[in-house]
Amino acid sequence: CPNCREEYEPDEEVLKSIKLAPGKVKFYKGKGCASCVNTGYKGRVAIHEVLMMNDEIRHKIFEGHSTEEIKRAARMSGMKTMRYDGLAKAAQGITTLSEVIRMTKTDEQ
C-alpha cells in the first residue's frame, strides 16, 4: 500500500536466499492502514517471465534437450525469470520481498 509502506531490512537469511548482501537494496512493506483495510497491500501487480524464441532455443526444444538446458539457454539469451522481475519490483517498492519469495520458485534465480 503506497499510503502505509515503510522501509525495512529483511532478515539476513532471507537476503542470503536471494543472494543479496544486507544494505544493498531498500525494501518496503505495508504497515496497514484504513486505505488498504490493514492488509499492507492495495491493488495488484503482475510479475512476468517472457521467453523470446530464438534459433538456439528452438533447436534445443526440437532436439529434446532437458528443461534445464533450455532454461540455461533462455537465460543466456536475456530472459528474466518471474523471480527476477518480482525482486526488481520489490526493490522499487511495488511489492514485498516476502510475496515474491512466496510466489516464485527458489530455483529460478
Side-chain angles (χ1 to χ4, degrees), residues 43-98:
R44 294 181 179 262
V45 65
I47 55 175
H48 302 92
E49 178 173 280
V50 178
L51 170 61
M52 298 299 289
M53 190 64 67
N54 63 26
D55 289 339
E56 179 187 6
I57 294 168
R58 185 176 294 110
H59 173 75
K60 288 186 181 300
I61 292 169
F62 288 137
E63 293 289 318
H65 288 254
S66 72
T67 303
E68 198 53 47
E69 289 176 87
I70 295 167
K71 283 182 188 178
R72 191 176 310 113
R75 289 181 188 144
M76 294 296 290
S77 296
M79 183 185 86
K80 304 292 188 248
T81 64
M82 285 179 59
R83 176 163 278 206
Y84 181 92
D85 186 47
L87 292 174
K89 287 175 177 159
Q92 295 170 38
I94 297 171
T95 189
T96 62
L97 186 56
S98 61

Side-chain angles (χ1 to χ4, degrees), residues 8-11 13-18 20 25-29 41 83 86-91 93-104 109:
Y8 82 105
E9 182 70 33
D11 293 336
E13 284 184 35
V14 172
L15 292 173
K16 192 181 290 185
S17 76
I18 61 170
L20 190 65
V25 178
K26 291 180 182 179
F27 289 102
Y28 301 88
K29 64 180 177 181
Y41 294 98
R83 176 163 278 206
L87 292 174
K89 287 175 177 159
I94 297 171
T95 189
T96 62
L97 186 56
S98 61
E99 273 299 286
V100 172
I101 291 170
R102 184 176 77 83
M103 298 304 296
T104 59
Q109 293 179 338

